[in-house]
Amino acid sequence: MTATGGSEERAGAGGAGEGTATRGLYERLKAYEGRPAATAGVGKDPVNAAMIRHWCEAMGDVNPAYEGPDAIAPPTMLQAWTMGGLSGHQGRSGAYDELSALLDGAGYAAVVATDCEQEYLRPLRPGDQITFDAVIESVSERKTTKLGTGHFVTTRMDIRANGELAGTHRFRILKYAPPPARRKGPPTAQPQPQSQPQMQSQMRVQVQALAKARRPRPVINRDNAGFWEGVSRHTLLIQRCGGCRTLRFPWLPGCQACGSPEWDTVEASGTGTVYSYVVMHHPPFPAFDPPYAVGLIELAEGVRMVSNVIGVPYDKVRIGMPVRLEFRCVDEELELPVFRVDETLQRPVSRGEG
């Protein structure tokens, strides 16, 4: 999905002078469009079966095209073959660093990645040698977003396999200035020692504020609206390909196995096991109360989904635990599927247990 940012920032109280400065900065930023961000980059490893296998295991992708003597790499691995790891890459140009420094100096020092777009021109196969070049494709006018005001910067990477163009990868970030924090009380007020009742009162206010915090809303679009409609009816729906009948989750516009865009749904039985899990301790976030367990649940139908694991303390969750679907109301507007540990279900042998 492509981010479009917000509306263009208007000149503020500074009037014509501020508007002139803004236009002057934008003209300097636009001068970087078309300049190289990286030249003659070389992938640190050729396309190889080990990385393809690790990727497929992590993603749960069992497409037979990605294994065997005629295997190809999953197309969405395109960027993976160009990544430099902790040691980075040689060949990065100074233009991108100059652009970043210019934005930092103008007050747009915060950064967030917003989206990427990929185009695949030929499959990648084990043994292909990867090279790439990157260019600063565009810098947007000043935009206002919920994060703050800033500029979107898009780079385009052309990726080649054995010298032949294999695909393009566009990556977009927002360099922005966070809105100033609201000050409480007079600017010159100094913190005063608090009595025990004052501290207790302040803690109650903080607890009440946390209790009122709302969870982030799920992103609902035309590809997954049916799933959330099912949740509203307390049903967990799994997509089924209309061509090869393969089940898939999360919801996608097309089948990973055969490519068919046709699909219908089946209702999950609601039982499954903990395939993997993590315990979230940090960072703290309003509306969440760490530590808590987040599990990768393997449903009885064979697909997997991420959800909270409840019913036992976070430190008692284990791989292979049987779970049963519930729908939990987290606030007055949002209900989410979660999985409660249910020891009355038959527990399969966990991976690694003999």
Side-chain angles (χ1 to χ4, degrees), residues 35-42 82 84-85 87-101 104 111 132-136 153 155 157 171 173 175:
R35 295 182 61 179
T39 56
V42 178
T82 70
S87 59
H89 265 303
Q90 302 296 322
R92 178 168 172 168
S93 75
Y96 195 85
D97 293 334
E98 292 172 11
L99 175 60
S100 296
D104 290 345
V111 63
F132 57 91
D133 298 284
V135 63
I136 301 169
V153 179
T155 55
M157 180 179 290
F171 188 69
I173 64 169
K175 289 280 288 180

Side-chain angles (χ1 to χ4, degrees), residues 41-339:
V42 178
K44 290 201 166 182
D45 297 284
V47 177
N48 62 85
M51 286 181 64
I52 293 173
R53 183 179 71 254
H54 295 164
W55 174 283
C56 291
E57 288 177 354
M59 300 301 292
D61 194 335
V62 296
N63 191 323
Y66 305 147
E67 58 185 7
D70 298 320
I72 62 173
T76 48
M77 287 189 73
L78 183 67
Q79 185 193 20
W81 308 111
T82 70
M83 300 179 78
L86 295 178
S87 59
H89 265 303
Q90 302 296 322
R92 178 168 172 168
S93 75
Y96 195 85
D97 293 334
E98 292 172 11
L99 175 60
S100 296
L102 180 58
L103 287 163
D104 290 345
Y108 306 114
V111 63
V112 63
T114 61
D115 65 291
C116 69
E117 303 170 5
Q118 293 184 341
E119 181 180 4
Y120 312 118
L121 302 177
R122 57 148 284 190
L124 298 177
R125 294 181 170 83
D128 284 344
Q129 298 289 334
I130 301 300
T131 56
F132 57 91
D133 298 284
V135 63
I136 301 169
E137 189 170 63
S138 66
V139 183
S140 77
E141 297 183 16
R142 190 165 64 161
K143 302 284 184 177
T144 298
T145 73
K146 287 186 177 181
L147 290 175
T149 298
H151 296 266
F152 289 92
V153 179
T154 304
T155 55
R156 188 193 77 244
M157 180 179 290
D158 294 329
I159 300 166
R160 294 174 173 81
N162 304 326
E164 178 185 355
L165 187 63
T168 61
H169 175 82
R170 284 180 173 83
F171 188 69
R172 188 173 291 109
I173 64 169
L174 172 65
K175 289 280 288 180
Y176 67 99
R182 296 180 179 178
R183 304 191 60 148
K184 296 182 179 180
T188 57
Q190 298 296 319
Q192 300 296 321
Q194 291 181 318
S195 65
Q196 186 71 15
Q198 286 176 321
M199 288 189 290
Q200 290 176 341
S201 176
Q202 185 177 21
M203 290 178 64
R204 283 195 296 271
V205 171
Q206 291 173 343
V207 169
Q208 291 171 356
L210 183 62
K212 293 179 181 178
R214 289 155 56 89
R215 286 203 183 192
R217 306 290 98 171
V219 177
I220 300 177
N221 54 42
R222 63 183 182 181
D223 292 329
N224 65 12
F227 170 77
W228 291 106
E229 290 170 3
V231 169
S232 70
R233 301 191 302 269
H234 286 192
T235 59
L236 185 66
L237 297 179
I238 303 170
Q239 274 185 315
R240 178 172 58 189
C241 175
C244 66
R245 313 301 284 173
T246 298
L247 299 180
R248 64 177 184 262
F249 194 92
W251 282 38
L252 296 169
C255 179
Q256 292 176 307
C258 72
S260 171
E262 304 299 327
W263 56 272
D264 59 9
T265 62
V266 296
E267 182 178 349
S269 66
T271 61
T273 57
V274 177
Y275 185 83
S276 182
Y277 71 95
V278 296
V279 175
M280 299 296 297
H281 294 272
H282 188 82
F285 194 83
F288 293 86
D289 186 20
Y292 55 91
V294 178
L296 178 62
I297 307 301
E298 185 165 75
L299 301 179
E301 291 75 16
V303 298
R304 300 173 193 151
M305 68 176 292
V306 175
S307 183
N308 288 109
V309 180
I310 63 173
V312 296
Y314 69 89
D315 57 351
K316 300 300 183 183
V317 176
R318 295 291 183 270
I319 289 173
M321 272 186 163
V323 292
R324 188 182 297 276
L325 173 69
E326 288 187 7
F327 291 89
R328 169 168 287 191
C329 183
V330 296
D331 59 41
E332 69 279 4
E333 297 179 354
L334 181 62
E335 205 163 12
L336 296 173
V338 298
F339 288 87

